[in-house]
Amino acid sequence: MKVLGEFRMPAMPDMEALAAAQRRNIEALSTANRVALEGAQAVARRHMEIMQASVTEMTDAMKAFASADAPHDKATKQAELAKATYEKAVANLQEIADLIQKSNSEALSVLNKRFAEAMDEVKGLVGKG
């Protein structure tokens, strides 16, 4: 009996606290997914704007290229067009990469914050037992 008296049953976890923590986990995942989706939509929207602007710029450039008469003028315009196109493409890629990085960072921040809160909650629950 003495041995049984010293044997302690582990404390039952607070089921309401566990359920509340699980709800907060789901809310954090939902928020992170929403942030990621909004980021993807912003990237797609910006990509479409870039494509539309590129088509317009290319059309204007072709008109200007066609209007140049002398071979030297055509070669100069072609070199300028190639340089401008390259610089614009690099800038556009950087902008898209920045948008993606920002979106990922925001979504990850939501999850990291919730993870830290969850670890504090676990410490609190274990401390009660």
Side-chain angles (χ1 to χ4, degrees):
M1 290 302 275
K2 183 178 179 182
V3 171
L4 286 176
E6 292 175 4
F7 181 72
R8 293 187 347 194
M9 293 293 287
M12 290 298 292
D14 181 354
M15 296 309 273
E16 182 58 37
L18 287 175
Q22 191 61 25
R23 278 192 301 276
R24 287 188 294 276
N25 291 343
I26 291 170
E27 288 169 4
L29 283 173
S30 177
T31 300
N33 283 334
R34 182 184 46 76
V35 168
L37 178 61
E38 288 171 358
Q41 289 171 338
V43 167
R45 199 170 29 255
R46 184 61 186 130
H47 191 342
M48 184 58 71
E49 291 168 359
I50 288 169
M51 293 301 292
Q52 290 171 342
S54 295
V55 168
T56 301
E57 290 170 10
M58 187 59 75
T59 302
D60 293 344
M62 287 298 136
K63 287 178 185 175
F65 183 69
S67 68
D69 294 329
H72 176 70
D73 291 342
K74 284 187 179 187
T76 300
K77 286 198 182 287
Q78 188 176 17
E80 290 171 358
L81 176 62
K83 181 181 178 192
T85 301
Y86 174 77
E87 290 171 350
K88 187 78 167 181
V90 169
N92 289 338
L93 284 173
Q94 184 62 52
E95 181 182 354
I96 295 293
D98 290 346
L99 283 172
I100 292 169
Q101 182 179 5
K102 180 180 181 243
S103 174
N104 288 344
S105 178
E106 289 173 0
L108 191 57
S109 176
V110 169
L111 295 177
N112 284 338
K113 181 178 183 241
R114 179 59 200 137
F115 181 77
E117 291 170 353
M119 291 300 101
D120 290 342
E121 290 168 359
V122 167
K123 287 178 191 174
L125 288 173
V126 169
K128 286 182 182 179

